[in-house]
């Protein structure tokens, strides 16, 4: 079970036995082959900018990537390595590399693969920050971006067939939880030799594995579910050793490196990833079904509901429907201003995917970068609430919602 490097630097993965389960990988993934420092059973946080050598020949071999080892922590670091390997194992990838934030993962992937004159096809409902890259920064670099209706797969397919360099997807989307058929669109993208990139932040590798559905690169904002405790920022990208190496080489120079302490927070947080996500899947489903029957609630968006327009695709491509949902309440923004502050067991904050329940309107969370018109065009009503289900007892969350909704 030797595996030299998780990063694209010199990734070599040897064949293993039968693939372990999700919980086992959350705990042991990336750690089993780690050299124990002073016999510690937990991964040490290596706060060192550089790594010293006793002879020039060894140093030179490591620098030339002929031997495993570390030189300088902007490039690689032992703690960061373990985090990358853990995500790599959970996504079933050959290699992974990490970043200071999720947005750094996204912009470094673009930087590594897109050139002036290239064309990207994506969806209108991508994460707010990603949307800004698409509408403002990529066009500045003469990269053309075509954003399609998220729920119109025929339109996406037609745009892909006109020829493009990259298909960029997110499923489920933020904040309306739309689902796109990843394997269908990946197959079309492959036919025009486009690179398929999927942001898997909302689903987590526990619920969805885009590489198995045909994606070339899968990325996460680790700040959300992977870390799970809202106390560390980071991003990660996984894929083939060859593609990840290209992203790694760009990031190494671009410098958006994940810090060792944050990598450690992710390693610790991820040990309970599978447990947390299973609980959040169950609670979100219970809450979505409950909200659907509530007289103060107009619409509930959750891919696990049979009323969801793409429930069937979600059922086929996801192992669980996730902890994210959104719903609109009677009375719009004014009602939300009364309802949300009444919730006792929820932070009103611009975050998601952590152990606590977190709520907020798209106005101050996912779509803060967008104008009122853009939010309207994206089909986001003023009365929408994004609800990130925590791991509290679901009875308490339901009672809390009931008392807060009754204040409207
Ligand atoms: C939060 C988020 C990002 C950006 O991640 P940061 O770590 O905040 O930079 C990207 N995509 C999705 C789906 C997100 O939720």
């Amino acid at each position: 079970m030797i595996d030299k490097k998780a990063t694209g630097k010199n990734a070599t993965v040897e064949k293993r036995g039968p693939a372990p389960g999700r919980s086992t990988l959350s705990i042991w993934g990336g750690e089993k082959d780690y050299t124990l420092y002073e016999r510690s059973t937990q991964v040490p946080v290596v706060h060192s900018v550089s790594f010293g050598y006793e002879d020039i020949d060894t140093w030179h071999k490591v620098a030339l990537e002929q031997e495993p080892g570390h030189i300088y922590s902007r490039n690689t670091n032992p703690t960061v390595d373990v985090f990358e390997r853990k995500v790599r194992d959970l996504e079933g990838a050959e290699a992974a590399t990490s970043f200071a934030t999720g947005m750094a993962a996204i912009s470094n992937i673009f930087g590594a693969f897109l050139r002036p004159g290239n064309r990207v096809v994506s969806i209108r409902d991508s994460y707010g920050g990603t949307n800004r890259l698409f509408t403002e920064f990529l066009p500045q670099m003469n990269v053309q971006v075509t954003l399609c209706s998220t729920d119109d797969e025929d339109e996406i397919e037609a745009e892909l067939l006109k020829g493009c360099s990259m298909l960029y997807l997110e499923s489920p989307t933020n904040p309306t939880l739309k689902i796109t058929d990843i394997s269908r669109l990946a197959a079309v993208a492959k036919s025009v030799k486009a690179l398929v990139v999927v942001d898997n932040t909302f689903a987590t590798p526990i619920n969805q594995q885009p590489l198995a559905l045909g994606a070339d690169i899968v990325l996460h904002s680790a700040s959300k579910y992977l870390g799970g405790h809202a106390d560390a920022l980071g991003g990660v990208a996984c894929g083939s050793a060859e593609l990840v190496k290209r992203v790694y080489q760009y990031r190494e120079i671009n410098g958006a490196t994940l810090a060792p302490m944050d990598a450690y927070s992710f390693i610790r947080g991820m040990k309970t990833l599978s447990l947390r996500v299973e609980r959040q899947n169950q609670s979100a489903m219970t809450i979505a079904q409950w909200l659907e029957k509530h007289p103060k609630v107009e619409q509930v968006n959750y891919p696990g509901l049979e009323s969801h327009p793409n429930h069937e695709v979600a059922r086929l491509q996801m192992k669980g429907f996730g902890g994210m949902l959104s719903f609109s309440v009677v009375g719009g923004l004014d009602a939300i201003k009364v309802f949300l502050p009444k919730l006792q067991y929820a932070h009103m904050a611009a975050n998601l995917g952590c152990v606590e329940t977190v709520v907020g309107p798209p106005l101050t969370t996912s779509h803060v970068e967008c104008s009122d018109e853009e939010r309207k065009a994206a089909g986001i009503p003023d009365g929408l609430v994004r609800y990130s289900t925590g791991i509290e007892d679901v009875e308490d969350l339901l009672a809390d919602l009931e008392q807060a909704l009754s204040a409207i």
Side-chain angles (χ1 to χ4, degrees):
M1 219 162 88
I2 291 174
D3 138 28
K4 287 197 212 134
K5 273 259 180 301
T7 60
K9 203 174 161 192
N10 46 2
T12 46
V13 182
E14 297 210 339
K15 282 266 168 278
R16 296 149 197 235
R22 311 276 88 196
S23 286
T24 308
L25 284 177
S26 297
I27 294 157
W28 289 102
E31 296 198 24
K32 199 79 176 118
D33 41 25
Y34 191 77
T35 313
L36 294 177
Y37 175 74
E38 296 284 356
R39 299 191 186 281
S40 68
T41 59
Q42 301 309 309
V43 176
V45 187
V46 182
H47 284 301
S48 187
V49 168
S50 59
F51 300 85
Y53 288 86
E54 274 143 22
D55 67 276
I56 301 291
D57 286 343
T58 310
W59 185 3
H60 193 214
K61 280 190 190 130
V62 173
L64 292 175
E65 300 177 15
Q66 290 164 354
E67 262 186 36
H70 304 279
I71 302 273
Y72 190 68
S73 281
R74 190 184 69 237
N75 308 342
T76 66
N77 169 282
T79 314
V80 173
D81 254 16
V82 178
F83 163 66
E84 291 169 345
R85 292 175 199 201
K86 202 183 266 302
V87 184
R88 174 203 67 189
D89 288 359
L90 278 164
E91 285 290 4
E94 236 173 52
T97 191
S98 60
F99 310 84
T101 62
M103 281 316 300
I106 297 165
S107 51
N108 280 263
I109 290 167
F110 291 166
F113 295 111
L114 296 175
R115 299 287 171 271
N118 282 173
R119 176 165 178 265
V120 178
V121 171
S122 189
I123 53 173
R124 289 213 185 94
D125 291 293
S126 57
Y127 178 74
T130 312
N131 192 262
R132 275 283 295 282
L133 290 176
F134 285 150
T135 54
E136 197 174 327
F137 297 111
L138 288 182
Q140 275 175 16
M141 298 191 298
N142 198 21
V143 172
Q144 193 199 331
V145 183
T146 306
L147 300 181
C148 306
S149 304
T150 307
D151 23 30
D152 190 346
E153 276 151 14
D154 292 339
E155 183 193 348
I156 303 173
E157 203 172 305
E159 289 298 338
L160 286 170
L161 289 172
K162 290 179 190 166
C164 73
S165 319
M166 183 185 285
L167 166 66
Y168 185 97
L169 293 176
E170 232 177 86
S171 182
T173 59
N174 190 7
T176 45
L177 284 299
K178 288 178 186 160
I179 299 289
T180 40
D181 187 336
I182 297 173
S183 49
R184 173 183 166 186
L185 296 174
V188 180
K190 291 274 164 63
S191 75
V192 295
K193 298 197 163 57
L195 193 73
V196 180
V197 180
V198 177
D199 180 338
N200 204 28
T201 303
F202 265 40
T204 81
I206 306 300
N207 284 334
Q208 178 171 278
Q209 292 184 294
L211 296 175
L213 298 169
D216 297 303
I217 297 218
V218 54
L219 71 95
H220 289 270
S221 164
S223 327
K224 315 290 173 51
Y225 283 100
L226 297 186
H229 294 73
D231 56 2
L233 282 166
V236 61
C238 313
S240 70
E242 188 201 336
L243 291 176
V244 170
K245 184 166 187 160
R246 284 178 63 186
V247 181
Y248 162 76
Q249 284 170 337
Y250 185 86
R251 191 270 287 153
E252 175 185 35
I253 302 309
N254 175 282
T257 303
L258 178 64
M261 190 60 219
D262 285 336
Y264 175 77
S265 297
F266 294 143
I267 291 165
R268 187 164 76 167
M270 282 178 72
K271 297 204 183 210
T272 56
L273 179 66
S274 178
L275 273 180
R276 282 187 279 114
V277 170
E278 279 163 29
R279 166 67 78 93
Q280 285 159 328
N281 285 344
Q282 279 175 10
S283 296
M285 182 66 117
T286 305
I287 291 167
Q289 287 170 338
W290 182 87
L291 285 169
E292 223 179 14
K293 294 194 212 101
H294 201 285
K296 300 253 170 83
V297 175
E298 278 171 346
Q299 201 198 322
V300 184
N301 305 310
Y302 186 64
L305 293 175
E306 275 171 32
S307 60
H308 189 286
N310 248 345
H311 172 67
E312 206 43 40
V313 175
R315 221 173 47 77
L316 290 172
Q317 77 184 7
M318 301 180 82
K319 295 188 186 79
F321 301 110
M324 295 302 301
L325 56 107
S326 64
F327 56 97
S328 52
V329 296
V330 178
L333 191 57
D334 289 341
I336 282 183
K337 286 182 180 169
V338 175
F339 159 61
L340 289 185
K342 285 260 174 350
L343 287 171
Q344 221 186 321
Y345 301 123
H347 286 303
M348 280 207 293
N351 194 17
L352 61 96
C354 52
V355 290
E356 298 97 356
T357 294
V358 182
V359 295
L363 180 75
T364 53
T365 56
S366 57
H367 285 64
V368 70
E369 289 98 344
C370 301
S371 66
D372 287 353
E373 293 73 40
E374 283 170 326
R375 271 192 300 276
K376 275 217 178 62
I380 297 169
D382 281 346
L384 196 74
V385 174
R386 187 177 76 181
Y387 190 93
S388 169
T389 315
I391 61 168
E392 299 92 344
D393 293 290
V394 71
E395 298 77 18
D396 293 330
L397 296 178
L398 291 174
D400 199 23
L401 282 163
E402 178 58 52
Q403 64 80 21
L405 281 168
S406 70
I408 297 179

